[in-house]
Amino acid sequence: MDKIVIHGGQELRGTVHVSGAKNAALPLICAALLAPGKHRFSNVPRLRDIDTVEKLLSALGVRITREGDLLEADASNIDNFEAPYDVVRTMRASVLVLGPLLARFGRARVSLPGGCAIGARPIDLHTKGLKAMGAEIDLEEGYLNAKAQQLVGTRIHLDLPTVGGTENLLMAATLAKGETVLENAACEPEIVDLAEALKSMGARIEGAGTGTIRVEGVPELGTLNYRIMPDRIEAGTLMVAAAMTRGDVLLEGMVPEHLEALSAKLREAGADISQENGLTRVRGAGVILPTNVQTSPYPGFPTDMQAQFMALMTLANGASVITENVFENRFMHVCEMQRLGADITIDGKSAIVKGVKKLYGAPVMATDLRASASLVLCGLAAEGTTEVKRIYHLDRGYERLEEKLRALGADIIRVAE
Ligand code: UD1
């Protein structure tokens, strides 16, 4: 298993390109199931989660080819309707095949994901919405068996603005009979990207990006030819890396509007963020100011940036409170940060982070995707050598992160163990 070895203390400088968004690519590739023919995607990141969705769709009968950042998916001959436990367990986004399969073929068998490192993460709102559209869904040996002659549009009020639930229901509604109204829908940029892609296939959708999405079902959809949006969480992670190392980094290809909540907090922490010739420049301040953060659904501060922002706050000039409102158990990185000398106390869903003068390198263990990124960030700023183990988590969602950081001047390598 590979590990990442960092000798900390370098200020990051230079220009870095932001890759395509994992969380936009996964639902979009599943959306290929909605229509026969060859669907084409560009700006697809090279990630383990993309390999997993490729494997999953191939098992359903989709023929997939990849070259560089291009992915072609021919969904003409689907002959299997099951997302097995082994796949869903490693990547929860696999449940995004449920809506499209049910809408186009009237059947799907999808393993329940079970818990994961950051919380319980049920999918009850996905199934509740599909049942409201007329699907029959039973649980059998850990699998959801879903059937529907024809999904029928209806009004669905989501108890929580779930991202995956909104995506599943949005995809299902495109081929339902009549109008579906999703209320309290998620507003994340990835939802807008998915809706734009579905519209380019012929779907009739209004209101994506707001809390109310209206979908008028159509009998069939055409093929996709779509460029995946830039990854706002990768961009955000690199922005924190610049701030944390007191560096000066230009990010190419990010959409600044997607990162306003993070930018506001980075400015509060003393960083300087500006737009220069279409690039975003982040300059870290000599003194990092303590800054409180609460995670919430978009446009609030993203839970997927909570661990990275905590990494920054470990070196602040005072105490900050970081509150996690989206997932109940997303502080697994705290114990590892403590191994590097961070002073953090957990109190319910808040973490009180008292800034220390220095972090000191040590071996640490990645526990989930974003936690692993936060440990890499700590390593960049720590004195001495940090080894981050179990980086298969990192590879799920960051494309060559260590290469990008090395090009910015970090002393970081990947070592095969
Ligand atoms: C997506 C993102 C993930 C991000 C999360 C929140 C992808 C592939 N993953 O995950 O990176 O951290 O959004 O921004 O895009 N919930 C229920 N019942 C449901 C569904 C969700 O109770 O049926 C709860 C979850 O347990 C959680 C909250 O709602 O507490 C938000 O989850 P959700 O928005 O669904 O996250 P994901 O789509 O799984």
Side-chain angles (χ1 to χ4, degrees):
M1 212 180 292
D2 294 359
K3 64 181 179 186
I4 281 183
V5 181
I6 310 162
H7 300 288
Q10 325 295 326
E11 292 174 5
L12 299 191
R13 285 181 194 282
T15 303
V16 61
H17 181 79
V18 176
S19 298
K22 166 180 96 73
N23 287 355
L26 295 175
L28 278 163
I29 295 169
C30 292
L33 291 166
L34 286 165
K38 284 187 181 160
H39 304 272
R40 294 188 177 86
F41 303 94
S42 58
N43 204 29
V44 179
R46 280 270 156 197
L47 301 171
R48 213 163 59 98
D49 272 8
I50 303 291
D51 299 341
T52 306
V53 80
E54 175 182 346
K55 217 184 298 166
L56 172 63
L57 263 64
S58 301
L60 301 178
V62 180
R63 277 206 301 274
I64 295 192
T65 50
R66 277 165 88 178
E67 206 185 305
D69 72 334
L70 302 175
L71 184 149
E72 193 176 273
D74 186 341
S76 302
N77 300 304
I78 307 296
D79 52 10
N80 179 15
F81 305 90
E82 179 175 305
Y85 179 56
D86 279 349
V87 180
V88 182
R89 193 168 50 87
T90 56
M91 189 188 70
R92 307 174 55 81
S94 308
V95 301
L96 292 172
V97 302
L98 179 60
L101 284 177
L102 200 52
R104 180 167 156 212
F105 302 100
R107 56 189 284 209
R109 189 173 139 84
V110 173
S111 167
L112 268 184
C116 76
I118 63 174
R121 298 183 82 178
I123 55 163
D124 55 316
L125 303 176
H126 305 224
T127 51
K128 213 163 132 187
L130 292 169
K131 281 182 187 168
M133 294 169 85
E136 277 176 45
I137 305 181
D138 304 314
L139 181 65
E140 195 186 84
E141 295 170 348
Y143 279 75
L144 294 171
N145 263 332
K147 276 183 293 186
Q149 285 276 329
Q150 159 82 68
L151 293 175
V152 181
T154 186
R155 186 171 279 269
I156 298 167
H157 184 93
L158 293 166
D159 297 349
L160 290 166
T162 153
V163 176
T166 302
E167 290 166 346
N168 239 336
L169 296 172
L170 181 58
M171 290 189 277
T174 57
L175 292 175
K177 191 164 173 240
E179 189 189 50
T180 304
V181 182
L182 294 177
E183 284 171 341
N184 199 26
C187 302
E188 270 68 5
E190 292 78 12
I191 304 280
V192 179
D193 208 41
L194 175 62
E196 287 306 316
L198 294 169
K199 284 201 263 187
S200 76
M201 299 168 86
R204 294 175 59 192
I205 302 169
E206 272 175 29
T210 75
T212 304
I213 307 179
R214 289 174 187 278
V215 187
E216 185 64 43
V218 295
E220 55 184 30
L221 294 169
T223 53
L224 265 167
N225 195 344
Y226 203 75
R227 183 174 171 81
I228 313 278
M229 63 177 254
D231 196 312
R232 63 193 170 99
I233 305 302
E234 186 204 22
T237 303
L238 293 164
M239 290 170 82
V240 174
M244 203 163 164
T245 61
R246 279 97 168 165
D248 183 354
V249 171
L250 285 156
L251 291 105
E252 186 182 63
M254 70 175 254
V255 183
E257 298 75 47
H258 291 171
L259 282 146
E260 283 190 349
L262 173 69
S263 297
K265 286 295 166 184
L266 284 174
R267 287 194 178 105
E268 217 176 302
D272 185 67
I273 302 170
S274 56
Q275 297 305 315
E276 287 181 18
N277 307 321
L279 307 188
T280 300
R281 183 171 187 182
V282 184
R283 278 175 288 188
V287 176
I288 298 168
L289 301 172
T291 306
N292 297 340
V293 158
Q294 296 234 15
T295 66
S296 61
Y298 191 84
F301 190 95
T303 173
D304 284 353
M305 283 303 305
Q306 181 255 107
Q308 301 90 312
F309 200 82
M310 190 183 294
L312 178 65
M313 287 303 109
T314 62
L315 289 173
N317 182 24
S320 330
V321 181
I322 297 187
T323 306
E324 173 58 56
N325 292 314
V326 180
F327 292 108
E328 68 266 30
N329 187 25
R330 205 169 195 179
F331 285 138
M332 305 284 281
H333 42 280
V334 167
C335 294
E336 301 301 309
M337 288 182 183
Q338 284 167 340
R339 304 198 70 245
L340 302 170
D343 182 348
I344 308 171
T345 316
I346 297 176
D347 181 10
K349 58 181 192 167
S350 294
I352 296 121
V353 188
K354 291 190 188 140
V356 292
K357 287 231 153 39
K358 268 187 183 170
L359 296 173
Y360 296 93
V364 285
M365 201 75 92
T367 50
D368 70 63
L369 169 54
R370 305 304 169 186
S372 47
S374 74
L375 297 174
V376 170
L377 294 176
C378 287
L380 293 176
E383 188 175 296
T385 304
T386 300
E387 290 188 0
V388 185
K389 301 182 184 207
R390 292 208 188 140
I391 57 159
Y392 54 86
H393 290 293
L394 194 73
D395 294 335
R396 283 189 48 206
Y398 288 92
E399 188 175 56
R400 302 178 291 105
L401 183 64
E402 76 283 7
E403 285 177 34
K404 290 190 182 190
L405 292 170
R406 195 165 50 241
L408 293 172
D411 185 345
I412 177 169
I413 49 165
R414 177 184 290 256
V415 179
E417 270 201 322

